[in-house]
Amino acid sequence: MKLKKTLGLFMIFLSGMVIAQTNSNIPQVEELLSKMTLEEKIGQLNLLTPGGGVATGSVVSEDVEAKIKAGNVGGVFGVSSPEKVRQAQEIAVKSSRLGIPLLIGSDIIHGYKTTYPIPLGLSSSWDMDLMKEAAQLAAKEATADGINWNFSPMVDIARDPRWGRIAEGAGEDPYLGSQVAKAMVEGYQGEDLTAPNTMIATVKHMALYGAAEAGRDYNSVDMSRLKMFNEYLPPYQAAVDAGVASVMTSFNDIDGIPASGNKWLLTDLLRDRWGFGGFVVSDYTSVNEMIAHGMGDLQAVSAMAINAGLDMDMVGEGFLTTLKKSVDEGKVSEEQITKAARRILEAKHKLGLLDDPYLYSDESRPEKDILTKENRDFARKAATRSFVLLKKYNSTLPLAKNARIALVGPLANNKNNMLGTWAPTGDPSLSIPILQGLKNVAPDANINYAKGANISNDTSFAKKVNVFGPRIQINDESPDTLLKEALDLAENSDVIVAVVGEATEMSGEAASRTDITIPDSQKKLIRELANTGKPVVLVLMSGRPLDISEEMALPVSILQIWHPGVEAGNAVADVLFGDYNPSAKLTNSWPRNVGQIPIHYRMKTTGRPGPESGEFQKFKTNYLDSPNSPLLPFGFGLSYTTFEYSDVKANSSELGKTGAIELSATVTNTGDHDGEEIVQLYIHDKVRSITPPGKELKGFKKIMLKKGESKTVTFQLNAEDLKFYNSELKHVAEPGEFDFFIAGSSDSKFDGSFTLKE
Ligand code: BGC
């Protein structure tokens, strides 16, 4: 009896805690909520765009001003500059009944006006300080222009290079992806969101968007919970753990329910399991798109979304136009709407907007903070850290600063393709072409340029790519004339530098490809250049891993530069002339052919492991016509110098449930240049209650080594680091033996082991 009473009291206490949690305890927010009509609460859940950015859906909002005045808008995006943002806030503050300021959103994916390399390139630096700084500087620029809410970081794990949005993420690995997610959230949001140079970050796209079937953008996803928890969800969770203030849903379905209406995803997992306390915004019209998914009419899908835990409706206005009716008909509770409105108001409070709506409208800031020398210097440095040396042939690189250089290729003297996908706030005309950069860095070199080929000769393909500007320009001269010009130039030079690859919008949103080779027009040019017998450097630009099997077999050196951003030319020159020795490593496996896709290094061994020799063997998991291994493995990247690994060891053969084990290796610079190396630790859990990946990255460190220098690199692992999700989705570490290796790439062999004790 007594126990029952105590339990009862405890339950009352607990329910009090729940109430305390659902009320924000922010007097300003609660006071506003108490004054708001149902319509005004619904208004806060509405995000509009007057169409100033890249409109990625077909819809652009109308009558935005009238809607703000009527209290029907919680935020806008595609509006920038302190003046315009002040105007928008003034309309909200002075002309709507309750004067609630607006969230001002934007897509700042890799720099605001100072555009950095695409995110996939930045991730190749494996440098979390650099990524954090990139986010900090982007926040400084964007907030100077009035923006307080960023739709970044995109942390979707992607293992399918056909998918164009692979460019926007950090590659294939959940561990590395989680570190990147954390660094970027911390960079954007800083320590204090009320500081005028920080903004709310949005982790996107929750969830699994990178696993679209067949690499076709917006396609369905069907995935086991085990795969979700172990492979795809960790980066979103890492962003939540880092305190991200908002989450964006994805376009795809999960377990047959579109993400924007998926209660398991948005409430059970995100809020109840992960403890997310911020607000959830849909993707562009993704609520309305649930109609096409087959979930019912606009009223039904809007009710489904809010009941699932979605707080804000991007552009579609389904919430605005149907939620009141759903409340009247008992399909949505007012409580649900109040909860969502509270979350939006809390975000405005976090930003300091409820105290000062004009916090981000300081007209003196753009000049001081945007496109400054400091920012451009950073963009240049970040780009050099993102370039991956894929192949060294003879000692062509680095180039001499007085060389006679034939600079050829459709991307060699081009401003339109330097920024890369999702750079709507950047200005291509400010970017430094490669030709210009080479001249800047090596004024004594003799550099001559010829285009050599069009990016593609296919006019219908070019039309699809040129949606946001003239990315693929097809010359009037015949391809043969272009080629001849390049070959003539090559004849009178010491070395050929060919800048080839993908135009900006050949990757990115709605830019999936089934053929991920370099377009034929350029392939021909590359072949002919290689045939000249002159030293050739291919400078390869792309937003995705490409199939470069043919080019890897040619006698050429290859430097992968992604889309390098506004300082493209200068950064490329810094690396080609050896002022910076390349150190980046791939964050995706590069396939030999599209038939290997999806491909990644965490593949399971299966019960019939593929032969280690790579030779075909009947009744083993392998192909008749291709090795299993990728062309270039995850974690791979060369340097002008060479590194050797030795003395790989564990400080003990056993690890307890508490305490840590130290795994170390000695790395020596054995080549002729000072250089940086990204040292990587991988493990293999040999016996597990569910089939484990063949290898898992568990740590990495970037070190600088002078010529001849050695350093010992030590990683600490504890039982927590060895955890995975078991078949009950519990996060556990199971005792047993683990193999490990420490190396400069994922394709090394295991050379040590230890045991996790009971
Ligand atoms: C993209 C999002 C982006 C949004 C707003 C959508 O098409 O999927 O990543 O944040 O548009 O611009």
Side-chain angles (χ1 to χ4, degrees), residues 56 77 107 151 165 204-205 248 251 283 314 422 509:
T56 51
F77 67 107
D107 285 280
F151 306 150
R165 298 196 83 170
K204 70 187 190 185
H205 305 83
M248 187 186 292
F251 289 119
D283 203 344
M314 189 192 289
W422 266 117
E509 187 166 351

Side-chain angles (χ1 to χ4, degrees), residues 39-186:
E39 286 85 343
E40 281 165 332
K41 289 178 191 166
I42 294 171
Q44 286 301 305
L45 316 186
N46 191 28
L47 173 64
L48 296 183
T49 180
V54 173
T56 51
S58 48
V59 197
V60 171
S61 319
E62 283 169 14
D63 302 327
V64 177
E65 185 170 336
K67 284 174 185 152
I68 298 175
K69 285 183 180 159
N72 282 338
V73 183
V76 291
F77 67 107
V79 176
S80 57
S81 88
E83 297 79 6
K84 285 194 195 144
V85 167
R86 180 178 289 275
Q87 272 170 22
Q89 296 292 25
E90 269 176 3
I91 299 170
V93 170
K94 295 187 180 157
S95 305
S96 72
R97 190 180 76 92
L98 291 170
I100 302 171
L102 301 162
L103 292 173
I104 308 287
S106 185
D107 285 280
I108 298 140
I109 309 300
H110 46 118
Y112 181 60
K113 296 217 163 145
T114 308
T115 312
Y116 314 133
I118 55 167
L120 187 59
L122 274 182
S123 75
S124 309
S125 71
W126 297 54
D127 183 339
M128 298 308 123
D129 293 337
L130 184 92
M131 298 206 66
K132 188 170 172 179
E133 196 178 344
Q136 266 163 354
L137 285 180
K140 192 170 166 197
E141 283 203 349
T143 53
D145 228 7
I147 289 146
N148 53 42
W149 174 28
N150 189 13
F151 306 150
S152 169
M154 185 278 218
V155 304
D156 305 318
I157 294 290
R159 295 167 169 186
D160 189 333
R162 292 171 298 183
W163 189 56
R165 298 196 83 170
I166 199 169
E168 278 179 67
E172 69 183 38
D173 183 58
Y175 176 80
L176 179 65
S178 299
Q179 312 288 316
V180 171
K182 177 173 184 284
M184 295 193 69
V185 169
E186 288 175 357

Side-chain angles (χ1 to χ4, degrees), residues 82 86 143-146 358-366 368:
R86 180 178 289 275
T143 53
D145 228 7
Y358 308 111
L359 196 57
Y360 302 90
S361 305
D362 176 349
E363 277 145 39
S364 71
R365 277 193 61 196
K368 282 187 293 187

